[in-house]
Amino acid sequence: MTDRLALRRAGRAVAPYLLLAPALVLVAVFLYGVVGGVLQGFGIMPFLGKTELTFEYWQQVLTRPDLAQSVSFSFYLALASSLLALAGGIVLSAALCAVRQTRLVALVDVQIPLMCAHILVVLFMVSLFSGSGLVPRVLYHLGLVAAPSDFPSIVGDASGWGVLAVYAWKEVPFVAFCTVALMSHVSDRFGEAASTLGASPLRTFFTVTLPLCKGALVKAFLVVFAFAFGAYEVPFLLGPTLPKALPVLAYIEFQNPDIANRSVAMALNGVMALVTTVAAIAYFVVLKREGKGR
């Protein structure tokens, strides 16, 4: 009996570590990739016999003429898509709170868009807005455009509106998902109190509900910004030839047949990582302030 109790106690003591093991393995793989990429950016690639630290590749990246354009374009895509997602997410959250969302409404408005991969959304947008897509053909038959090809191209347009449309489709529900529960709670408690004191629904929303949801909205904005700045697949498929988004530029350099060129790609990834790290630090600052305020 004593042996069984000892085994049970030992099993209970070991169980948390066994449950944590898969997460630790994933973290270790992630850190291995990050550290390896950083070292390659500084020219350390033991499999090619390069073991000396050098800033040559960083200097090459920081002095290339297309870097500033790529960083500016990536910043524009990230900031514009984040602002669109924030505005649309606020509207969607308010609408879901107003209609007292059911499981079906939440599934259609939030969960299904979140579950769709970005590539599927890209295909959907191309089928709608490309030169032979549904929207240009409808506008042509209505006489609003002289030809379907007159409609602004979703692929390769310098404004990047196709990329922004895809990110809006995906990230508006994400912002709503991050804020709808808090917004609903605030509306139920403080919103009703403001209404009983004579405040209109619109004034209650802007002076009570929205300020109390500020922390969640800022965090969602930072997450979307970091993702949009670092993602390459949507700008790669829908973005213009010039300027290229920074992740696309890094991906093209990584695909270079000369494996030694990987150091250039990793240095570009390092520039991208610096920007997203700033967003991550800002996220944790907001999180810490929220923790102190409770």
Side-chain angles (χ1 to χ4, degrees), residues 76-99:
Y76 155 71
L77 290 178
L79 183 61
S81 58
S82 301
L83 292 174
L84 285 173
L86 188 66
I90 291 172
V91 173
L92 181 57
S93 296
L96 291 173
C97 292
V99 300

Side-chain angles (χ1 to χ4, degrees), residues 6-49:
L7 287 173
R8 286 182 181 177
R9 289 174 182 173
R12 289 174 182 173
V14 174
Y17 299 100
L18 293 177
L19 294 173
L20 193 60
L24 292 176
V25 171
L26 291 175
V27 170
V29 172
F30 172 76
L31 290 177
Y32 174 79
V34 171
V35 172
V38 171
L39 292 177
Q40 288 181 21
F42 288 102
I44 299 177
M45 292 191 287
F47 53 89
L48 293 181

Side-chain angles (χ1 to χ4, degrees), residues 189-212:
R189 294 186 60 189
F190 301 101
E192 290 181 2
S195 298
T196 58
L197 294 174
S200 65
L202 194 61
R203 184 177 181 183
T204 299
F205 180 77
F206 282 105
T207 59
V208 178
T209 304
L210 207 55
L212 290 175

Side-chain angles (χ1 to χ4, degrees), residues 249-263:
L249 195 63
Y251 175 75
I252 292 173
E253 293 291 348
F254 187 83
Q255 291 294 100
N256 193 303
D258 184 6
I259 195 171
N261 198 66
R262 186 174 296 180
S263 293

Side-chain angles (χ1 to χ4, degrees), residues 64-225:
R64 60 188 295 166
D66 57 348
L67 179 66
Q69 291 181 339
S70 293
V71 172
S72 299
F73 187 63
S74 293
F75 188 82
Y76 155 71
L77 290 178
L79 183 61
S81 58
S82 301
L83 292 174
L84 285 173
L86 188 66
I90 291 172
V91 173
L92 181 57
S93 296
L96 291 173
C97 292
V99 300
R100 299 297 178 183
Q101 60 168 322
T102 62
R103 186 173 298 178
L104 178 61
V105 171
L107 179 68
V108 174
D109 288 347
V110 177
Q111 295 179 23
I112 288 179
L114 285 177
M115 289 186 291
C116 291
H118 283 81
I119 300 299
L120 293 178
V121 181
V122 168
L123 293 175
F124 175 75
M125 290 294 180
V126 169
S127 65
L128 277 180
F129 298 109
S130 64
S132 59
L134 179 62
V135 172
R137 285 185 289 169
V138 169
L139 294 177
Y140 170 70
H141 286 296
L142 292 175
L144 298 177
V145 294
S149 58
D150 290 341
F151 190 81
S153 176
I154 193 172
V155 180
D157 190 82
S159 66
W161 74 270
V163 179
L164 298 179
V166 171
Y167 284 152
W169 171 284
K170 286 287 296 179
E171 310 311 333
V172 165
F174 172 77
V175 174
F177 177 79
C178 293
T179 57
V180 65
L182 177 61
M183 189 174 289
S184 178
H185 180 69
V186 169
S187 298
D188 289 340
R189 294 186 60 189
F190 301 101
E192 290 181 2
S195 298
T196 58
L197 294 174
S200 65
L202 194 61
R203 184 177 181 183
T204 299
F205 180 77
F206 282 105
T207 59
V208 178
T209 304
L210 207 55
L212 290 175
C213 297
K214 181 176 65 175
L217 291 170
V218 171
K219 288 187 291 184
F221 173 86
L222 292 171
V223 170
V224 174
F225 179 89

